[in-house]
PDB file of all heavy atoms in Angstrom:
ATOM      1  N   ALA A 590      -3.665  40.658  24.242  1.00  0.00           N
ATOM      2  CA  ALA A 590      -4.756  39.846  24.670  1.00  0.00           C
ATOM      3  C   ALA A 590      -4.771  38.526  23.842  1.00  0.00           C
ATOM      4  O   ALA A 590      -4.991  37.440  24.366  1.00  0.00           O
ATOM      5  CB  ALA A 590      -6.092  40.562  24.422  1.00  0.00           C
ATOM      6  N   GLU A 591      -4.547  38.675  22.533  1.00  0.00           N
ATOM      7  CA  GLU A 591      -4.492  37.448  21.666  1.00  0.00           C
ATOM      8  C   GLU A 591      -3.365  36.572  22.048  1.00  0.00           C
ATOM      9  O   GLU A 591      -3.474  35.239  22.117  1.00  0.00           O
ATOM     10  CB  GLU A 591      -4.388  37.886  20.278  1.00  0.00           C
ATOM     11  CG  GLU A 591      -4.303  36.750  19.231  1.00  0.00           C
ATOM     12  CD  GLU A 591      -4.326  37.241  17.780  1.00  0.00           C
ATOM     13  OE1 GLU A 591      -3.364  37.895  17.410  1.00  0.00           O
ATOM     14  OE2 GLU A 591      -5.220  36.929  17.010  1.00  0.00           O
ATOM     15  N   ALA A 592      -2.207  37.152  22.343  1.00  0.00           N
ATOM     16  CA  ALA A 592      -1.001  36.285  22.777  1.00  0.00           C
ATOM     17  C   ALA A 592      -1.250  35.605  24.021  1.00  0.00           C
ATOM     18  O   ALA A 592      -0.967  34.398  24.230  1.00  0.00           O
ATOM     19  CB  ALA A 592       0.245  37.230  22.843  1.00  0.00           C
ATOM     20  N   GLN A 593      -1.967  36.267  25.050  1.00  0.00           N
ATOM     21  CA  GLN A 593      -2.251  35.659  26.322  1.00  0.00           C
ATOM     22  C   GLN A 593      -3.201  34.542  26.121  1.00  0.00           C
ATOM     23  O   GLN A 593      -3.055  33.388  26.737  1.00  0.00           O
ATOM     24  CB  GLN A 593      -2.788  36.686  27.264  1.00  0.00           C
ATOM     25  CG  GLN A 593      -3.074  36.116  28.692  1.00  0.00           C
ATOM     26  CD  GLN A 593      -1.812  35.767  29.418  1.00  0.00           C
ATOM     27  OE1 GLN A 593      -1.117  36.567  29.796  1.00  0.00           O
ATOM     28  NE2 GLN A 593      -1.719  34.413  29.616  1.00  0.00           N
ATOM     29  N   LYS A 594      -4.212  34.710  25.410  1.00  0.00           N
ATOM     30  CA  LYS A 594      -5.169  33.587  25.165  1.00  0.00           C
ATOM     31  C   LYS A 594      -4.497  32.453  24.449  1.00  0.00           C
ATOM     32  O   LYS A 594      -4.730  31.365  25.018  1.00  0.00           O
ATOM     33  CB  LYS A 594      -6.373  34.114  24.333  1.00  0.00           C
ATOM     34  CG  LYS A 594      -7.414  33.067  24.147  1.00  0.00           C
ATOM     35  CD  LYS A 594      -8.352  33.332  22.940  1.00  0.00           C
ATOM     36  CE  LYS A 594      -9.496  34.298  23.439  1.00  0.00           C
ATOM     37  NZ  LYS A 594     -10.602  34.399  22.408  1.00  0.00           N
ATOM     38  N   ALA A 595      -3.723  32.752  23.489  1.00  0.00           N
ATOM     39  CA  ALA A 595      -3.070  31.555  22.781  1.00  0.00           C
ATOM     40  C   ALA A 595      -2.144  30.762  23.798  1.00  0.00           C
ATOM     41  O   ALA A 595      -2.036  29.532  23.739  1.00  0.00           O
ATOM     42  CB  ALA A 595      -2.281  32.137  21.606  1.00  0.00           C
ATOM     43  N   HIS A 596      -1.392  31.525  24.585  1.00  0.00           N
ATOM     44  CA  HIS A 596      -0.525  30.969  25.596  1.00  0.00           C
ATOM     45  C   HIS A 596      -1.277  30.089  26.588  1.00  0.00           C
ATOM     46  O   HIS A 596      -0.900  28.989  26.891  1.00  0.00           O
ATOM     47  CB  HIS A 596       0.199  32.068  26.371  1.00  0.00           C
ATOM     48  CG  HIS A 596       1.222  31.423  27.478  1.00  0.00           C
ATOM     49  ND1 HIS A 596       2.305  30.886  27.063  1.00  0.00           N
ATOM     50  CD2 HIS A 596       1.033  31.408  28.731  1.00  0.00           C
ATOM     51  CE1 HIS A 596       2.985  30.541  28.185  1.00  0.00           C
ATOM     52  NE2 HIS A 596       2.264  30.828  29.147  1.00  0.00           N
ATOM     53  N   ASP A 597      -2.398  30.660  27.019  1.00  0.00           N
ATOM     54  CA  ASP A 597      -3.338  29.863  27.890  1.00  0.00           C
ATOM     55  C   ASP A 597      -3.831  28.597  27.296  1.00  0.00           C
ATOM     56  O   ASP A 597      -3.795  27.508  27.880  1.00  0.00           O
ATOM     57  CB  ASP A 597      -4.439  30.682  28.320  1.00  0.00           C
ATOM     58  CG  ASP A 597      -4.112  31.792  29.314  1.00  0.00           C
ATOM     59  OD1 ASP A 597      -3.069  31.776  29.930  1.00  0.00           O
ATOM     60  OD2 ASP A 597      -4.953  32.696  29.590  1.00  0.00           O
ATOM     61  N   TYR A 598      -4.230  28.691  25.978  1.00  0.00           N
ATOM     62  CA  TYR A 598      -4.648  27.494  25.404  1.00  0.00           C
ATOM     63  C   TYR A 598      -3.607  26.411  25.113  1.00  0.00           C
ATOM     64  O   TYR A 598      -3.924  25.281  25.184  1.00  0.00           O
ATOM     65  CB  TYR A 598      -5.308  27.977  23.976  1.00  0.00           C
ATOM     66  CG  TYR A 598      -6.702  28.567  24.017  1.00  0.00           C
ATOM     67  CD1 TYR A 598      -7.290  29.109  22.878  1.00  0.00           C
ATOM     68  CD2 TYR A 598      -7.426  28.519  25.172  1.00  0.00           C
ATOM     69  CE1 TYR A 598      -8.549  29.654  22.946  1.00  0.00           C
ATOM     70  CE2 TYR A 598      -8.606  29.182  25.253  1.00  0.00           C
ATOM     71  CZ  TYR A 598      -9.200  29.653  24.099  1.00  0.00           C
ATOM     72  OH  TYR A 598     -10.489  30.213  24.258  1.00  0.00           O
TER      73      TYR A 598
END
Side-chain angles (χ1 to χ4, degrees):
E591 183 176 61
Q593 181 65 70
K594 180 194 280 191
H596 179 76
D597 288 349
Y598 281 173

